[in-house]
């Protein structure tokens, strides 16, 4: 990767500010990546079948299957786009191919998709819960378990579902405001339990179908299509409504397309996939495609085969999988138990999709905000948690508005949802088609069927996929009136918002860039290194997030001899979910908040009469960024303020975890957590020499004396005693883990018993720190130190 | 004479309206037929893409 350098002319009165282009990331396996995407894509299995059948009739499962097969092709488009740009999502691709206007339009459609994912998933989770409760109330009344009533207690399905969806949304709004810890572990756990449910559902379902001799749904031919009034949309009053023919197939396909929503998450998760990236991306993509084909496709087919016509749409339309559980072959108690399991799994995956929707749409908006398309006002971090709370508020607010407007009606939500799904795919495929001729950079993989005629290569495969998407999107415009009206309205509002913001931002950023260049010596570097900052090994890295609370910087400045150790102030620029892995110099715009932060850091350093270097690193994970930077700079110490969310120990734990994940070579450092009152706690990161109590030293010495009595051990050293003792301990542990652990616990209990002053190693550690990291520790002498 | 003129112009307007409607219907039919043909051509091509990329990716997945 070529080194991009934007160097302003050096001026003696300006502080060096190095801006890194490579984002500090942590990487995950393709299984974890697949789990994250499936949490979004797999959740549609819970509602897509019901929505499609309501629209097109009993042949709907064939169309769902068709859509899931076609999603293999859409996946191929995303794989190609990700092989060109690490974060090959709709925004980046369309911007590259068709320019900013189309990019804003496509991202508006994508936002519509993401915003609606929350309400549709939340309401669907509610429908499953309410459906179960109502069934239990009815069964309870029938078996006289519940108090006798004229009619059994039944909750209003849509209203209660809307309330549940609102509660889930508010819960995740708060979690995201606090800064939810992104975890592929959770996604993997949810997918494991979902897989157990899918295996049971398909296994038991197929057995039941064979046992009952159920028939396949009617074939997907025009005569078997029975469109509902709403599914005809604007074509309701035309002659076409009576003679659809093959055109009806496209209409039905368009009504089923929401089953493949979530493919965009693949592009978002791509940047975090571990090496070899393309290979692992393809693996993740094929796992996702197969899983969703089996779960959503085959599941919908079995649902129609198992649930009788009389109740399938009227009763179980919005909780189809729960309906399947109730019509399996087996005792009622077992079926109810399985239905409860389905509802629990459904709640987990659908609630997770609500979170994915908030995280995803926040990520997309952060991305466009970083590009200067959304006003800086949205980027201002929350004062306590440091999150982009205004974007989270906007997203959650729009989702709550949607829930209230639709009042828990899954059909209405599904109608509108498909608009965002199909148009974002259409824009993406069109942009990829244009890039085949326009883009001449690196391309790891191409969608197959490419025919070369002369010097031109015709991308037949890509063209075919685009044709299907475009024709489906156009037909949907006429057949999905709710989607067309609400989608166009939403897209236009967002497009105007983006356009006005972009114009305003350009003016502000031009001014901000001028000011930044006046005050700072700006340097853009691919990667962080000592050379870029012109510092020596053993520096002190200080993190800074809030211009109003620079207590960690003051603490470090008070204790560091700047002539011996360099001080680097690190500001991490958090990239939202799906952010890029590389930011070009031209893409790195400084917000007002960042300007204030750097100005404050410089003024604090000046008040101590010490020099500092400023460093900005784009980061996906703050702890990974911190550790990677410390390692690159060969830092001896890292100083951070106490987090508002984590304890000092938890901060140190995360730093330690990130250090363990670092590739070799890596060096140890000391991590200091400074509290607002100036008290600091130190932690050794990485392997380090343990602090040994005087009593232990005595013991080693006594053992050495005893061993030396043996004439053959005259050359024995103290270290040999320690080596032998450790080797014995390791052997014991390998032989009898339980007993060794018991002995270790006993030893710790004895060691940590108070032994009077000067007897505890922990006191020493905390008071003096490691000694080698921040040299010449001394108490605060400056008035600035509080 | 005046009434005759009114009737004639009304008939003309009606005829023009019918022509526009007929044109619209035929335009719609043309659009529908075009979209249908393009969709199925696209589907055929996509099916081949799915087949080729599926085989390729399955091998990729099963590699160590």
């Amino acid at each position: 990767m070529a080194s991009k350098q934007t160097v302003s002319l050096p001026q003696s009165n300006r502080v060096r500010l190095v801006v890194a282009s490579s984002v500090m990331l942590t990487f995950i396996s393709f299984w974890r990546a697949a789990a994250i995407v499936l949490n979004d894509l797999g959740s549609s299995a819970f509602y897509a079948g019901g929505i499609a059948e309501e629209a097109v009739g009993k042949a709907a499962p064939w169309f769902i299957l068709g859509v899931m097969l076609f999603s293999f092709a859409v996946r191929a488009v995303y794989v190609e786009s990700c092989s060109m740009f690490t974060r090959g999502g709709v925004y980046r691709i369309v911007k590259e191919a068709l320019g900013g206007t189309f990019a804003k339009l496509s991202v508006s459609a994508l936002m519509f998709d993401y915003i609606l994912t929350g309400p549709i998933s939340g309401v669907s989770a509610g429908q499953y819960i309410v459906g179960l409760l109502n069934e239990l109330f009815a069964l309870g009344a029938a078996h006289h378990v519940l108090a006798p009533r004229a009619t059994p207690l039944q909750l209003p399905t849509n209203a209660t579902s809307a309330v549940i969806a609102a509660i889930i949304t508010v819960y995740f709004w708060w979690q995201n405001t606090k800064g939810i810890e992104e975890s592929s572990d959770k996604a993997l756990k949810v997918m494991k339990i979902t897989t157990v449910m899918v295996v049971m559902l398909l296994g038991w379902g197929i057995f039941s179908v064979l046992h009952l001799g159920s028939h396949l749904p009617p074939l997907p031919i025009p005569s078997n299509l029975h469109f509902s009034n709403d599914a005809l949309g604007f074509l309701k009053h035309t002659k076409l409504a009576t003679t659809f023919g093959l055109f009806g197939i496209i209409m039905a396909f368009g009504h089923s397309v929401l089953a493949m929503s979530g493919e965009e998450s693949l592009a978002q998760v791509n940047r975090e996939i571990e090496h070899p990236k393309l290979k692992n991306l393809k693996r993740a993509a094929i796992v996702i495609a197969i899983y969703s084909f089996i779960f959503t496709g085959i599941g919908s087919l079995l649902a129609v085969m198992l649930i009788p016509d009389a109740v399938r749409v009227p009763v179980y339309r919005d909780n189809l999988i729960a309906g399947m559980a109730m019509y399996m072959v087996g005792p009622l108690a077992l079926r109810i138990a399985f239905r409860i399991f389905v509802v629990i799994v459904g709640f987990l995956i659908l609630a997770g999709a609500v979170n994915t929707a908030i995280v995803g749409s926040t990520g997309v908006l952060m991305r466009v905000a970083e590009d200067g398309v959304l006003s800086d006002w949205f980027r201002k971090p929350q004062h306590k948690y440091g999150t982009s709370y205004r974007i989270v508020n906007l997203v959650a607010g729009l989702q709550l508005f949607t829930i209230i407007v639709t009042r828990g009606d899954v059909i209405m939500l599904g109608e509108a949802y498909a608009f965002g799904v199909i148009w974002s795919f259409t824009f993406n495929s069109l942009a990829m088609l244009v890039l085949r001729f326009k883009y001449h950079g690196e391309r790891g993989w191409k969608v197959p069927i490419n025919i070369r005629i002369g010097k031109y290569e015709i991308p037949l495969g890509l063209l075919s996929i685009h044709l299907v998407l475009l024709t489906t999107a156009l037909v949907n415009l006429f057949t999905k009136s709710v989607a067309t009206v609400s989608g166009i309205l939403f897209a236009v509002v967002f497009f105007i918002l983006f356009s006005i913001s972009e114009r305003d931002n350009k003016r502000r950023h031009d001014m901000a860039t001028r000011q930044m260049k006046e005050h700072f010596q700006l340097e853009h570097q691919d990667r962080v290194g000592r050379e870029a900052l012109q510092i020596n090994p053993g520096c002190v890295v200080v993190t800074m997030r809030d211009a109003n609370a620079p207590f960690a910087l003051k603490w470090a400045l008070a204790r560091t001899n700047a002539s011996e150790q360099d001080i680097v102030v690190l500001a991490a620029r958090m990239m939202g979910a799906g952010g890029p892995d590389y930011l070009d110099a031209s893409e790195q715009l400084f917000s007002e908040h960042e300007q204030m932060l750097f100005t404050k850091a410089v003024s604090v350093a000046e008040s101590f009469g010490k020099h500092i270097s400023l460093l900005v690193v784009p980061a996906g994970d703050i702890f990974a960024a911190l550790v990677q930077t410390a390692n690159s700079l060969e830092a001896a110490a890292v100083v951070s303020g106490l987090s508002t969310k984590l304890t000092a120990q938890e901060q140190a734990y995360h730093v330690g975890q990130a250090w363990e994940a670092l590739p070799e070579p890596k060096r140890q450092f000391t991590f200091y957590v400074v509290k607002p009152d100036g008290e600091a706690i130190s932690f050794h990161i990485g392997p380090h020499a343990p602090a040994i109590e005087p009593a232990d030293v005595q013991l080693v010495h006594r053992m050495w004396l005893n061993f030396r009595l043996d004439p053959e051990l005259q050359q024995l050293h103290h270290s040999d005693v320690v080596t032998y003792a450790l080797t014995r301990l390791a052997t014991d542990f390998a032989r009898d883990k339980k007993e060794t652990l018991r002995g270790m616990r006993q030893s710790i209990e004895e060691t940590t018993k108070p032994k009077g002053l000067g007897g505890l190693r922990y006191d020493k550690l905390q008071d003096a720190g490691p000694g080698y990291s921040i040299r010449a520790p001394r108490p605060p002498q400056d008035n600035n130190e509080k | 004479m005046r009434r005759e003129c009114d009737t004639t112009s009304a008939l003309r307007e009606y005829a023009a309206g019918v022509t526009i409607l007929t044109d619209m219907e035929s335009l719609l039919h043309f659009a529908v037929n075009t979209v249908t043909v393009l969709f199925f051509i696209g589907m055929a091509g996509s099916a081949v893409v799915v087949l080729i990329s599926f085989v390729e990716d399955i091998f990729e997945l099963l590699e160590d």
Side-chain angles (χ1 to χ4, degrees):
Chain A
M1 202 181 291
S3 171
K4 303 246 182 223
Q5 222 171 13
T6 318
V7 185
S8 306
L9 285 175
Q11 287 178 16
S12 56
N13 61 340
R14 293 187 302 168
V15 175
R16 179 180 288 266
L17 168 57
V18 174
V19 185
S21 300
S22 295
V23 182
M24 307 281 176
L25 292 171
T26 46
F27 297 99
I28 54 173
S29 68
F30 74 90
W31 285 112
R32 283 172 189 270
I36 291 171
V37 179
L38 279 170
N39 264 263
D40 187 358
L41 196 64
S43 66
S44 54
F46 284 83
Y47 50 79
I51 293 172
E53 187 173 352
E54 168 77 23
V56 308
K58 207 177 167 183
W62 294 117
F63 290 97
I64 301 265
L65 267 175
V67 166
M68 297 325 293
L69 271 177
F70 181 67
S71 77
F72 280 73
V74 175
R75 163 199 62 98
V77 179
Y78 273 95
V79 170
E80 180 174 334
S81 71
C82 291
S83 78
M84 291 159 64
F85 309 103
T86 309
R87 207 276 315 263
V90 166
Y91 179 71
R92 176 70 193 264
I93 298 296
V94 177
K95 191 181 173 194
E96 203 73 31
L98 305 167
T101 306
F102 268 98
K104 286 196 277 289
L105 266 177
S106 63
V107 94
S108 301
L110 180 65
M111 281 305 296
F112 192 62
D113 170 357
Y114 264 129
I115 297 277
L116 284 177
T117 304
I120 199 170
S121 304
V123 166
S124 188
Q127 294 277 358
Y128 273 82
I129 294 170
V130 178
L132 174 67
L133 290 176
N134 283 345
E135 185 104 29
L136 290 177
F137 290 146
L139 280 169
H143 292 84
H144 309 292
V145 178
L146 296 176
R149 292 165 60 109
T151 51
L153 173 67
Q154 292 287 282
L155 296 167
T157 313
N158 284 2
T160 317
S161 303
V163 171
I164 291 171
I167 292 170
I168 296 171
T169 308
V170 169
Y171 171 77
F172 282 115
W173 160 76
W174 180 235
Q175 292 296 315
N176 279 280
T177 302
K178 284 197 297 180
I180 203 162
E181 205 177 308
E182 277 183 58
S183 161
S184 54
D185 277 344
K186 279 185 200 163
L188 204 58
K189 277 178 193 158
V190 170
M191 283 323 297
K192 277 179 186 168
I193 193 166
T194 306
T195 306
V196 173
M197 188 206 80
V198 172
V199 169
M200 287 172 73
L201 187 79
L202 297 185
W204 195 357
I206 290 167
F207 173 76
S208 301
V209 161
L210 294 174
H211 189 267
L212 295 169
S214 308
H215 299 289
L216 285 168
L219 291 174
I221 51 173
S223 58
N224 285 334
L225 299 176
H226 305 288
F227 292 103
S228 69
N229 245 351
D230 287 340
L232 296 175
F234 296 120
L235 301 181
K236 205 182 307 180
H237 304 296
T238 65
K239 279 186 183 174
L240 270 173
T242 51
T243 54
F244 283 118
L246 286 175
F247 185 71
I249 304 281
I250 314 177
M251 284 171 63
F253 188 82
H255 281 292
S256 314
V257 89
L258 81 166
M260 66 170 169
S261 77
E263 289 277 358
E264 173 71 15
S265 307
L266 184 65
Q268 297 222 359
V269 85
N270 175 49
R271 67 169 191 163
E272 290 170 46
I273 295 177
E274 68 187 6
H275 179 80
K277 201 174 258 302
L278 181 60
K279 200 178 181 113
N280 283 331
L281 171 72
K282 288 173 85 177
R283 285 168 166 173
I286 195 76
V287 168
I288 292 159
I290 293 172
Y291 195 105
S292 46
F293 174 80
I294 292 173
F295 185 22
T296 312
I298 309 282
S300 303
L301 200 70
L302 286 175
V304 172
M305 294 171 79
L306 279 171
I307 310 171
D309 293 355
V311 288
R312 195 172 54 253
V313 172
V315 182
Y316 295 110
R317 183 191 66 191
D318 299 330
N319 52 7
L320 211 57
I321 299 181
M324 280 173 76
M326 295 305 289
Y327 284 91
M328 299 282 194
V329 174
L332 182 64
L334 205 60
R335 283 181 278 150
I336 290 176
F338 184 54
R339 181 171 178 177
I340 293 170
F341 182 50
V342 165
V343 172
I344 292 169
V345 173
F347 178 78
L348 285 175
I349 195 167
L350 289 163
V354 175
N355 184 42
T356 307
I358 297 179
V359 173
S361 38
T362 305
V364 171
L365 286 179
M366 278 289 282
R367 178 71 186 93
V368 293
E370 283 150 17
D371 232 24
V373 176
L374 196 61
S375 169
D376 264 356
W377 185 82
F378 285 102
R379 286 172 74 187
K380 189 173 188 294
Q382 214 269 355
H383 70 281
K384 191 174 177 189
Y385 302 112
T387 50
S388 309
Y389 72 111
R390 283 175 175 160
I391 290 182
V392 176
N393 287 353
L394 173 71
V395 169
L398 284 170
Q399 291 185 331
L400 285 172
F401 173 76
T402 312
I403 292 168
I404 292 165
V405 168
T406 55
R407 293 172 193 168
D409 186 345
V410 176
I411 297 298
M412 196 192 285
L413 281 164
E415 268 270 297
Y417 188 32
F419 179 91
V421 176
I422 194 73
W423 278 105
S424 60
F425 288 161
T426 306
F427 276 122
N428 198 33
S429 62
L430 173 65
M432 286 303 298
L433 209 50
V434 172
L435 286 178
R436 276 294 181 96
F437 301 98
K438 197 176 165 185
Y439 179 82
H440 302 292
E442 191 186 345
R443 193 191 303 265
W445 187 79
K446 280 181 185 173
V447 175
I449 328 184
N450 300 294
I451 295 172
R452 187 165 281 281
I453 300 175
K455 61 176 182 176
Y456 292 106
E457 190 183 68
I458 311 297
L460 278 184
L462 201 51
L463 184 67
S464 303
I465 297 166
H466 177 65
L467 278 180
V468 174
L469 289 168
L470 179 68
T471 49
T472 309
L474 288 173
V475 170
N476 271 8
L477 273 185
F478 294 95
T479 59
K480 285 179 165 283
S481 46
V482 174
T484 303
V485 173
S486 56
I488 289 178
L489 203 66
F490 182 94
V492 166
V493 169
F494 256 80
F495 182 78
I496 293 170
L497 177 74
F498 288 146
S499 300
I500 294 172
S501 282
E502 190 177 31
R503 198 170 301 170
D504 182 52
N505 264 3
K506 191 174 175 346
R507 187 177 52 78
R508 284 167 184 268
H509 282 141
D510 287 347
M511 198 163 70
T513 308
R514 273 200 306 278
Q515 286 174 349
M516 287 297 287
K517 282 183 178 171
E518 276 171 26
H519 294 102
F520 303 103
Q521 185 186 334
L522 274 180
E523 283 199 26
H524 288 275
Q525 296 281 343
D526 262 8
R527 296 189 181 280
V528 178
R530 283 195 299 104
E531 297 75 22
L533 287 156
Q534 297 177 355
I535 57 170
N536 295 314
C539 67
V540 178
V541 174
V542 186
T543 61
M544 192 164 166
R545 198 191 73 195
D546 187 358
N548 296 318
F551 52 87
L553 177 60
K554 288 178 178 178
W555 185 90
L557 284 163
R559 287 164 176 77
T560 309
N561 184 347
S563 60
E564 290 179 13
Q565 268 183 302
D566 296 297
I567 300 173
V568 179
V569 174
L570 170 73
R573 183 176 277 178
M574 298 309 293
M575 300 284 107
D581 72 334
Y582 182 86
L583 283 173
D584 196 79
S586 60
E587 289 177 323
Q588 303 225 35
L589 305 172
F590 289 95
S591 66
E592 286 170 21
H593 164 76
E594 284 172 324
Q595 278 187 67
M596 277 172 62
L597 194 74
F598 305 138
T599 310
K600 183 72 181 180
V602 173
S603 76
V604 169
E606 282 172 354
S607 72
F608 278 80
K610 292 177 182 176
H611 174 80
I612 57 167
S613 298
L614 296 172
L615 175 64
V616 180
V617 290
D621 173 74
I622 180 66
F623 297 106
L626 199 60
V627 169
Q628 287 173 27
T629 307
N631 204 45
S632 307
L633 299 180
E634 297 175 41
V638 174
V639 182
S640 273
L642 181 67
S643 161
T644 48
K645 291 181 292 185
L646 305 172
T647 62
Q649 284 71 19
E650 284 168 338
Q651 279 177 263
Y653 170 76
H654 286 293
V655 170
Q657 291 291 98
W659 191 90
E660 295 298 337
L662 268 186
E664 293 289 352
K666 53 188 178 183
R667 55 176 284 160
Q668 301 93 324
F669 61 85
T670 308
F671 179 56
Y672 293 91
V673 180
V674 184
K675 295 179 183 173
D677 61 6
E679 189 194 338
I681 305 169
S682 66
F683 302 90
H684 295 281
I685 303 297
H688 52 272
I692 300 176
E693 283 192 70
D696 294 335
V697 176
Q698 282 293 331
L699 182 60
V700 172
H701 185 64
R702 279 207 308 275
M703 293 303 294
W704 176 75
L705 289 172
N706 288 334
F707 284 131
R708 286 245 315 172
L709 294 176
D710 187 329
E712 289 179 20
L713 289 175
Q714 288 304 303
Q715 299 300 317
L716 188 75
H717 296 285
H718 283 75
S719 61
D720 296 326
V721 178
V722 177
T723 307
Y724 178 67
L726 283 175
T727 314
R728 281 285 300 267
L729 181 67
T731 313
D732 285 355
F733 186 71
R735 199 168 45 216
D736 190 350
K737 194 175 172 183
K738 206 172 163 185
E739 180 57 27
T740 316
L741 284 173
R742 196 187 61 77
M744 183 58 78
R745 278 194 293 271
Q746 200 176 353
S747 168
I748 289 171
E749 273 172 30
E750 285 168 11
T751 315
T752 49
K753 273 180 195 163
K755 290 177 184 172
L757 287 174
L760 277 180
R761 55 186 167 201
Y762 302 107
D763 286 347
K764 279 169 126 189
L765 252 181
Q766 288 196 350
D767 289 347
Y772 64 83
S773 51
I774 289 187
R775 291 172 203 149
R778 56 184 162 80
Q781 291 168 350
D782 204 295
N783 287 338
N784 286 319
E785 177 66 11
K786 294 280 175 207
Chain B
M1 186 70 181
R2 188 179 183 82
R3 185 176 290 173
E4 200 176 303
C5 271
D6 286 350
T7 315
T8 314
S9 78
L11 275 172
R12 274 190 191 139
E13 276 174 25
Y14 176 75
V18 169
T19 313
I20 288 167
L21 276 179
T22 315
D23 285 350
M24 283 294 285
E25 284 283 339
S26 51
L27 192 70
L28 200 62
H29 271 284
F30 173 74
V32 163
N33 289 338
T34 310
V35 161
T36 309
V37 170
L38 289 178
F39 176 82
F40 282 102
I41 289 173
M43 268 297 180
S46 300
V48 182
V49 172
V50 170
L51 204 67
I52 296 172
S53 62
F54 179 76
V55 173
E56 192 183 309
D57 289 357
I58 276 290
F59 280 113
E60 195 97 62
L61 181 70
L62 299 178
E63 265 179 34
D64 55 351

